[in-house]
Amino acid sequence: MSKTKNDDVSLGRFISLVLRHEPSAAGIELDSEGWADVGELIRGVCNTGRKLDMETLERIVRENNKQRYSFNEYKTKIRANQGHSIDVHIDMKIMMPPDVLYHGTSDAFLNSIKEKGILKMSRQYVHLSKDMETAIKVAKRHGKPVALVIDTARMSADGFVFRLSDNGVWQSEDIPWRYVAEIKYP
Ligand code: HQG
């Protein structure tokens, strides 16, 4: 990876932390819809000893591998598209999901998930993806990966709703174990 790419990835990680979990890490605040003022974010990030300017921020937003962030129309505000643990309201479209979606997790969490269901844990929603490969990638962050195949058709029929973030991540409320159709190991 080139130096710039490396720097962008590590800056992106810090920006995710600030915009999803801990704005105070850059000494800033978000509004109720999760927006940060772009000038404040750049200054806040620079105050931590990192280097960030508008050109770099625009490149990070444009090239981020999961399209994690969005600017407003005038590029005066920025927010994370999903993944928040703090209490902000991101207006996501409620949509009919495909018949199955996948949740990636660690083999080590399975007993607890069987007992309590797939819980949101610290985030606002349970995250689901439309393909197994993405779920396995997510799962690898936690340990020996498994993908749970979720019967979203049955969940929808039972009244559960699903939201789709602007960057294509499906979001659900807690999922009881009975909706897990299959456990897949890569
Ligand atoms: C697990 C990444 C024990 C759950 C990804 C998961 C994603 C339980 C972990 C996004 C449980 C929470 C979110 C239970 C759930 N007992 N463990 N009852 N219920 N869990 O990081 O889905 O790269 O909060 O299975 O792409 O791993 O950051 O959620 O393993 O979309 O943009 O508790 O993070 O996006 O972990 O990842 P997380 P996640 P970014």
Side-chain angles (χ1 to χ4, degrees):
M1 224 187 316
S2 72
K3 178 87 168 65
T4 314
K5 192 99 196 163
N6 242 327
D7 289 349
D8 283 4
V9 169
S10 109
L11 268 172
R13 281 211 188 98
F14 183 66
I15 290 168
S16 287
L17 171 80
V18 171
L19 296 180
R20 288 167 163 178
H21 310 297
E22 207 186 325
S24 62
I28 65 166
E29 285 181 12
L30 310 183
D31 73 11
S32 60
E33 296 187 326
W35 294 105
D37 179 89
V38 166
E40 281 178 22
L41 176 71
I42 291 175
R43 279 192 299 278
V45 170
C46 289
N47 284 341
T48 67
R50 295 171 174 84
K51 284 204 181 98
L52 181 66
D53 56 20
M54 187 61 185
E55 192 192 331
T56 307
L57 185 61
E58 287 185 295
R59 187 176 63 236
I60 289 172
V61 172
R62 194 174 56 240
E63 294 179 1
N64 184 262
N65 63 344
K66 286 194 189 168
Q67 294 295 301
R68 289 180 176 88
Y69 332 98
S70 293
F71 284 117
N72 65 347
E73 189 184 350
Y74 304 107
K75 297 194 176 169
T76 54
K77 294 191 211 175
I78 182 170
R79 73 176 177 187
N81 288 320
Q82 42 79 226
H84 299 77
S85 59
I86 48 176
D87 186 23
V88 296
H89 177 72
I90 310 291
D91 198 19
M92 290 184 218
K93 294 170 281 278
I94 292 184
M95 286 181 66
M96 197 52 121
D99 283 352
V100 298
L101 286 171
Y102 299 83
H103 176 78
T105 190
S106 159
D107 178 61
F109 300 156
L110 278 182
N111 282 339
S112 166
I113 292 179
K114 279 179 191 165
E115 194 187 316
K116 299 182 195 140
I118 309 175
L119 306 179
K120 297 178 254 186
M121 308 304 273
S122 66
R123 309 210 190 226
Q124 288 186 353
Y125 297 102
V126 171
H127 290 197
L128 303 170
S129 41
K130 62 178 177 352
D131 57 279
M132 164 144 164
E133 196 192 330
T134 308
I136 292 294
K137 245 189 233 163
V138 170
K140 281 186 176 155
R141 293 156 46 247
H142 298 293
K144 187 178 169 202
V146 295
L148 303 178
V149 185
I150 311 297
D151 187 348
T152 37
R154 189 150 71 91
M155 285 183 74
S156 298
D158 289 351
F160 284 81
V161 298
F162 296 85
R163 292 175 169 79
L164 183 60
S165 70
D166 280 351
N167 60 337
V169 181
W170 286 92
Q171 325 264 327
S172 158
E173 298 299 330
D174 292 344
I175 301 177
W177 177 254
R178 64 178 179 280
Y179 295 109
V180 177
E182 209 180 326
I183 306 172
K184 287 200 182 253
Y185 289 83

